[in-house]
Amino acid sequence: MPVKNRFAELLPEITEWRRDFHENPELLFDLPRTSAKVAALLRDFGCDEVVEGIAKTGVVGVIRGKTDTSGRVIGLRADMDALPIYEATGLDYASKTPGKMHACGHDGHTAMLLGAAKYLAETRNFDGTAVVLFQPAEEGGGGGRVMVDEGVMERFGIQEVYGMHNTPGVPLGTFAIRPGPIMAAADQFEVVVTGQGGHAAKPHEGIDTTLVASHIVVALQQISSRNVDPLKQVVVSVCTFRTESEAHNVIPQTVLLRGTVRTLEPEVRDYVEGRFKAVVDGIAAAHGASAQIKYERGYPVTMNAPENTDYAVAVAEAVSGSVDTTVAPLMGGEDFSYMLNARPGAYIFLGNGDTAALHHPAYNFDDNAIPFGSSWYAGMIESRMPAA
């Protein structure tokens, strides 16, 4: 099951779709043009069923095999949304919308799954049903959660689900995957420290919130270095430190802290949340200040089921011949995790070659990766549901 010749033939057409998506990026759930194009293409391919409007702008296509003695239904997912970034690639097909850009390769993911859908609808060389899931709002909107909450798994009878993401800096067309946690839970926090503002020349008359907040920032780093088993991976990052005053001689009344917490295990996630709140409250109280904490859980851990990971590896090896099964988990978050919480499956990385990093204004998906990704998507269906 190497790269399928049909995808070499389809590459110019799939590339055209991908570059059209790239030129016309849309954000979060607001994907009217993108979803309409996806749905129109799925209908042109002859999908047995095309459903729009799931999670506002999500699209689902159903493709039935030549036979269905297995009764198996497998879902394949691609994300469709772009990022609020000003593009700096200088490409002929660069974004036409200032401040919006496909800087994470979701244009490539969508195009690859569309290519697989076209092939599967043409050949139907499998025994069961393939369901292609085109999801909005991966970039912070939790579109995967919304699709699951709206019953997409039950509605289409999905029993297993698989997803893919491109990875810059990894050789083009190679794959990487691991069983168990492959991407982190992504939580976020906001802390408002309140003290007693005043004149910078008279700090003894106030409660210096800048000092208090600085102690909090430093102490939070001790959660990972001194409170959690060093073999467990934890990231606590304070990314915003904002005082209410920018004057050189004013002690501010309040300081705002914002940031993120990343963990790979549910029990560690629970512990870190509790420890975070204890540290913040304790340090604020010790200095006579107070702290309002808003701690929100985001995407859960992306957890690959071992058996399904084995299936994904077998197909990737057949397509590429190169699969890294020892890749370390990434501390980034991914809302495909909600789908993997709902059904067993696996999430795999596809090498994008020597390109700019994800979320960088100079990033671009390499179209030469398309035959590998489309072959893997299609191969998951044909290998898991071989023709009777």
Side-chain angles (χ1 to χ4, degrees), residues 61-62 65 104 115 130 157 172 188 308 314 362:
V62 177
C104 202
L172 183 73
Q188 60 188 28
N308 300 86

Side-chain angles (χ1 to χ4, degrees), residues 6 44 71 84-85 89 112 114 121 172 179 181 197 206 229 253 268 280 286 297 312 332 347-348 350 354 380:
R6 182 60 175 138
D44 287 345
I85 293 176
T89 62
M112 289 189 294
L114 283 169
L172 183 73
D229 183 336
Q253 179 80 6
V268 175
V280 172
R297 293 206 168 191
Y347 191 66
I348 197 167
L350 170 64
D354 187 18
M380 289 305 304

Side-chain angles (χ1 to χ4, degrees), residues 82-130:
L83 284 157
I85 293 176
Y86 284 86
E87 183 162 352
T89 62
L91 294 165
D92 292 342
Y93 53 87
S95 171
K96 295 178 180 178
T97 307
K100 297 180 183 179
M101 177 194 174
H102 271 291
C104 202
H106 295 186
D107 50 345
H109 304 164
T110 298
M112 289 189 294
L113 185 53
L114 283 169
K118 179 166 185 170
Y119 167 85
L120 292 169
E122 287 175 350
T123 60
R124 300 183 184 263
N125 190 33
F126 57 95
D127 179 48
T129 303

Side-chain angles (χ1 to χ4, degrees), residues 13 23 80 88 93 111 131 167 186 215 222 237 282 294 298 309 338:
E13 185 177 9
E23 274 190 289
M80 299 187 291
Y93 53 87
V131 179
T167 308
H215 278 289
Q222 295 174 6
S237 291
K294 183 179 180 182
T309 301
Y338 293 105

Side-chain angles (χ1 to χ4, degrees), residues 53 76 116 126 164 192 205 219 222 275 289 303 342 374:
L76 304 173
F126 57 95
M164 180 195 306
V192 177
E205 294 182 356
Q222 295 174 6
R275 187 65 187 148
M303 191 75 69
S374 293

Side-chain angles (χ1 to χ4, degrees), residues 295-383:
Y295 195 104
E296 295 183 344
R297 293 206 168 191
Y299 299 167
V301 177
T302 304
M303 191 75 69
N304 283 342
E307 185 177 10
N308 300 86
T309 301
D310 290 342
Y311 303 148
V313 168
V315 174
E317 286 177 340
V319 168
S320 172
S322 178
V323 184
D324 178 4
T325 57
T326 63
V327 62
L330 301 182
M331 299 308 285
E334 165 59 62
D335 79 342
F336 186 61
S337 53
Y338 293 105
M339 294 191 180
L340 289 177
N341 280 353
R343 294 292 184 272
Y347 191 66
I348 197 167
F349 298 121
L350 170 64
N352 198 55
D354 187 18
T355 62
L358 300 175
H359 293 215
H360 190 283
Y363 166 85
N364 185 43
F365 180 86
D366 190 332
D367 293 317
N368 292 307
I370 288 171
F372 296 94
S374 293
S375 292
W376 182 83
Y377 274 129
M380 289 305 304
I381 297 301
E382 292 182 339
S383 69

Side-chain angles (χ1 to χ4, degrees), residues 184-270:
D187 301 332
Q188 60 188 28
F189 61 82
E190 179 176 295
V191 176
V192 177
V193 180
T194 302
Q196 177 62 53
H199 199 291
K202 300 179 180 180
H204 59 290
E205 294 182 356
I207 297 172
D208 189 345
T209 49
T210 302
L211 179 63
V212 177
S214 297
H215 278 289
I216 289 172
V217 172
V218 172
L220 287 175
Q221 303 313 306
Q222 295 174 6
I223 294 176
S224 59
S225 68
R226 287 295 178 268
N227 297 143
V228 176
D229 183 336
L231 296 179
K232 309 288 187 181
Q233 291 178 277
V234 175
V235 174
V236 181
S237 291
V238 179
C239 302
T240 297
F241 190 118
R242 183 183 302 156
T243 67
E244 66 175 5
S245 171
E246 296 183 1
H248 70 278
N249 61 350
V250 172
I251 293 175
Q253 179 80 6
T254 63
V255 171
L256 171 67
L257 304 175
R258 286 198 183 106
T260 185
V261 175
R262 307 296 173 102
T263 53
L264 290 172
E265 298 177 26
E267 61 272 17
V268 175
R269 189 184 197 187
D270 293 340

